[in-house]
Amino acid sequence: MNIDYLLSAHGFGGKKSKDKIPPPRVIGFRATRNGANADLSWTNPTDTDFVGVLILKKLGGYPTSPTDGEVVYKGNSTKFTDTNVRTAQYVYYRAFSYDFDGNYNVESGQTAWVLVKGSQSTPSAPIVDKVDYNSVALRAQSGCEYKIANGSWQSSNIFTNLSPNTSYTFYQRKKENTYYNPSSQSSGTSVTTLKPPYRTMTAVIDQSNSNPLTCITYEDDARTMTKGSSEWDKFFGAKLVLFKNGREVRDLKDSELNNLTESDGDVMVKFKRMGLNIKTVGDKVYVSMTDNADSEDFKYYAHTRGTERRETFYLGAYLGYEKDGKLRSIKGFKPTGEKTIGDFRTIAQANGSGYEQLAFYQWTFLQAMYVLKYGNLDSQTALGKGLTSGSGYLSTGGTNGKGVDFGSTNGGEQMRFQYIEDMWGNKLQWLDGIKSVGNSQMKTGTDKFSNDGASYSAHNLGFSIDLYDYVKNVQGTSELGFVIKAKGGSTSTYFCDYQYVYGNSENFGCVGGYRSYGARAGAFCFYCSDSASRAYANFGGRLMFL
């Protein structure tokens, strides 16, 4: 105990002691970064010989003695904030407890360090080195990282899996490292990805070959494709969307369909503008589709309304259900039936401008996609039977969450193609935009759908009799698609589906087959044998927006 110090502290004076023993060291000395500062803390010894603590700092290593470094603090507190910290370097602190006689404790264990990272200058906007239809390469800058708009930062200067013909804005900044924080982001550089090289997929149907699988071969860009592959889905680009009041609300995930309510809107499938060409050369039917939205070699009937171009068309993901006088595409309801083609047209159009029921050229577009993807005219075998052997009609939404396509060998289970549930089975679907008019003619149209078909164009069928049977040959043109031309097929040969077309009277179209139609139903099932007054329970409809 330093008696002289105690006496002096209480005003009694006295001579200084010649004590040579320092007080114990401080305990728990810590340095904590606090922004640009360093918070120092410790616990003082309780020994009565203790007077205070001296804290020094130094770059490059800890102070070795009470004179080796810059004085940060001297006193008897237990904490201090150093507001003058050198950035971007390790700063080493050491505490020395001391007594009245200037004896400093130099024991180990009274050290701490802190690193306050420095700031870096902001780099200039990134430079684009290469642009492709699905990727962009920025010029690499040493020590930098990169991002798109509000995306995450990445070390690679190459961005992949981008959308074609789309504008992106890129940024760069200097990366955080041991000594420096990341810099602010640069100004942006905007670039538009290129349009992709257009592809043409062609399926060739050899109508002289009765085998529904081997009769189809691939040409053009389809040569690199595999029958049934999901790569076809990328080419087609069909998307599930929530649709309300004539507008897309948002994209949908298959997994969320069961969470939607009827007030959210209609579940629709969006089909982008693609060209379709169907032609017949000898015994072969060539079905070609291109992702070029403006090719003179292709027809765009499915994406045309009268003389007006359409970039997309939308089909109900489910068979239609009438609610409050409107045809809806919503889950959880038995599809509406017992209505005429005109009745379904009326309740579809009651939704507002642009709404219709399923029409012929949109159906032909679906059929062409099926032919291309599966390369098999036996659709029940290739994809699934659908609800074709059931005792009752099933509610909509049975295929929710089951992927782009779904089917099984169970004739009591619904199927799905490109998210379209019940493309065949459950109920027949009235088809607008097509009618037989007698005199071996059939009329088709893309607009002003009506029973009289006054604005439709006439096409020669090549037969005047009523033709009904399993299909052997089809019309094979862009105008009449897969409408029957010759009978003679069966449930397992040629097109494997049943058609019934009146060649010499006025009738209207329906497609797909129904719950108990068996093997006659499928992708090529087509009837144009019903009058405008027909309204049976097995006749349904599907919502469309064009």
Side-chain angles (χ1 to χ4, degrees):
M1 178 182 295
N2 193 324
I3 300 299
D4 289 324
Y5 174 74
L6 291 175
L7 291 172
S8 175
H10 289 81
F12 295 105
K15 66 178 182 178
K16 294 183 179 179
S17 168
K18 299 302 181 181
D19 179 19
K20 300 298 183 183
I21 300 175
R25 64 184 180 88
V26 299
I27 300 170
F29 184 58
R30 297 179 61 189
T32 304
R33 180 168 61 88
N34 180 9
N37 304 323
D39 289 338
L40 308 175
S41 62
W42 62 91
T43 299
N44 289 327
T46 57
D47 193 276
T48 56
D49 200 28
F50 172 76
V51 172
V53 60
L54 171 69
I55 298 177
L56 303 183
K57 67 180 176 182
K58 184 180 175 183
L59 303 177
Y62 293 110
T64 58
S65 71
T67 59
D68 182 28
E70 178 184 346
V71 176
V72 174
Y73 172 78
K74 189 173 185 180
N76 59 7
S77 181
T78 57
K79 62 181 178 180
F80 181 76
T81 297
D82 183 6
T83 60
N84 187 28
V85 182
R86 184 78 170 267
T87 62
Q89 293 192 55
Y90 285 99
V91 179
Y92 298 90
Y93 295 91
R94 185 166 185 176
F96 301 90
S97 59
Y98 63 89
D99 62 15
F100 180 79
D101 292 310
N103 296 309
Y104 289 88
N105 188 311
V106 295
E107 294 177 18
S108 60
Q110 303 179 99
T111 57
W113 60 267
V114 74
L115 173 63
V116 175
K117 292 188 176 184
S119 59
Q120 302 185 78
S121 60
T122 304
S124 57
I127 297 172
V128 176
D129 268 349
K130 184 179 179 181
V131 181
D132 206 337
Y133 70 94
N134 62 356
S135 65
V136 171
L138 304 178
R139 184 167 300 174
Q141 300 291 332
S142 178
C144 281
E145 57 187 0
Y146 317 88
K147 75 170 184 175
I148 300 176
N150 295 321
S152 300
W153 291 100
Q154 63 179 56
S155 296
S156 175
N157 60 307
I158 299 174
F159 293 81
T160 58
N161 297 320
L162 304 181
S163 298
N165 195 30
T166 302
S167 178
Y168 293 95
T169 301
F170 297 90
Y171 301 89
Q172 65 181 2
R173 70 177 182 182
K174 293 179 181 176
K175 287 192 289 188
E176 182 178 14
N177 56 40
T178 302
Y179 298 101
Y180 291 94
N181 289 313
S183 71
S184 299
Q185 73 177 28
S186 68
S187 55
T189 296
S190 295
V191 61
T192 299
T193 50
L194 303 180
K195 291 183 178 180
Y198 295 122
R199 292 185 293 171
T200 295
M201 303 294 186
T202 299
V204 183
I205 305 170
D206 183 356
Q207 296 185 112
S208 67
N209 181 353
S210 65
N211 186 305
L213 176 62
T214 61
C215 73
I216 296 181
T217 56
Y218 286 154
E219 290 191 0
D220 299 321
D221 293 306
R223 287 190 177 97
T224 63
M225 303 291 274
T226 301
K227 291 183 177 183
S229 167
S230 61
E231 287 298 310
W232 285 104
D233 303 329
K234 297 178 184 178
F235 176 69
F236 299 143
K239 290 185 177 181
L240 277 169
V241 298
L242 186 64
F243 204 85
K244 190 173 185 178
N245 298 326
R247 296 178 180 273
E248 279 187 48
V249 178
R250 61 182 176 88
D251 288 349
L252 290 174
K253 295 180 180 178
D254 195 13
S255 58
E256 67 176 310
L257 296 186
N258 285 329
N259 300 326
L260 298 175
T261 65
E262 58 196 70
S263 62
D264 291 323
D266 292 295
V267 179
M268 306 285 275
V269 184
K270 175 182 179 179
F271 296 95
K272 65 182 180 181
R273 183 179 174 89
M274 301 179 78
L276 177 62
N277 184 45
I278 303 175
K279 67 179 182 180
T280 301
V281 180
D283 290 326
K284 295 181 178 179
V285 177
Y286 293 77
V287 181
S288 299
M289 187 174 284
T290 181
D291 51 9
N292 183 346
D294 297 285
S295 173
E296 294 181 354
D297 297 325
F298 286 81
K299 304 296 183 182
Y300 297 87
Y301 295 138
H303 293 83
T304 300
R305 188 168 186 122
T307 59
E308 297 179 359
R309 168 194 178 106
R310 294 289 187 267
E311 299 304 319
T312 55
F313 72 84
Y314 302 83
L315 293 180
Y318 312 123
L319 289 175
Y321 173 75
E322 182 184 7
K323 182 173 177 58
D324 300 326
K326 298 178 181 180
L327 190 65
R328 302 290 305 277
S329 177
I330 49 181
K331 69 172 177 67
F333 295 92
K334 295 285 180 68
T336 295
E338 296 185 286
K339 287 186 176 293
T340 68
I341 186 171
D343 291 337
F344 271 106
R345 185 186 305 122
T346 297
I347 61 175
Q349 293 174 345
N351 286 285
S353 178
Y355 285 93
E356 303 286 354
Q357 66 177 323
L358 175 64
F360 175 69
Y361 285 117
Q362 287 72 27
W363 174 255
T364 303
F365 191 87
L366 284 179
Q367 290 177 300
M369 287 195 295
Y370 166 78
V371 168
L372 286 164
K373 179 173 180 178
Y374 286 97
N376 188 343
L377 298 182
D378 187 352
S379 56
Q380 286 199 29
T381 297
L383 180 51
K385 290 184 179 296
L387 181 56
T388 56
S389 301
S391 58
Y393 304 109
L394 294 182
S395 295
T396 55
T399 62
N400 285 354
K402 295 185 176 180
V404 180
D405 295 353
F406 173 78
S408 74
T409 57
N410 180 359
E413 189 171 23
Q414 292 161 289
M415 55 75 60
R416 182 194 238 188
F417 176 67
Q418 297 299 297
Y419 299 115
I420 299 293
E421 182 178 272
D422 296 323
M423 180 178 170
W424 57 83
N426 208 357
K427 287 201 175 190
L428 287 159
Q429 302 161 71
W430 278 117
L431 201 60
D432 244 332
I434 187 168
K435 62 181 292 188
S436 60
V437 294
N439 299 318
S440 304
Q441 288 189 329
M442 184 165 280
K443 297 181 72 175
T444 63
T446 61
D447 193 16
K448 298 179 180 178
F449 302 122
S450 64
N451 287 354
D452 62 27
S455 65
Y456 296 178
S457 300
H459 311 283
N460 186 43
L461 284 170
F463 58 85
S464 59
I465 60 172
D466 296 342
L467 201 58
Y468 48 95
D469 199 351
Y470 284 93
V471 181
K472 180 178 181 181
N473 298 140
V474 295
Q475 297 290 324
T477 65
S478 296
E479 288 67 38
L480 290 178
F482 302 97
V483 172
I484 190 170
K485 187 174 184 179
K487 64 181 183 178
S490 70
T491 60
S492 61
T493 60
Y494 299 104
F495 285 81
C496 301
D497 292 336
Y498 202 89
Q499 293 194 22
Y500 196 145
V501 175
Y502 281 2
N504 202 30
S505 60
E506 181 177 274
N507 288 278
F508 298 88
C510 59
V511 292
Y514 55 92
R515 63 171 174 82
S516 58
Y517 208 49
R520 291 174 291 179
F524 306 102
C525 178
F526 172 66
Y527 274 59
C528 200
S529 56
D530 294 287
S531 69
S533 61
R534 180 66 60 88
Y536 289 166
N538 59 347
F539 279 68
R542 188 180 298 273
L543 189 62
M544 179 174 81
F545 185 88
L546 179 61

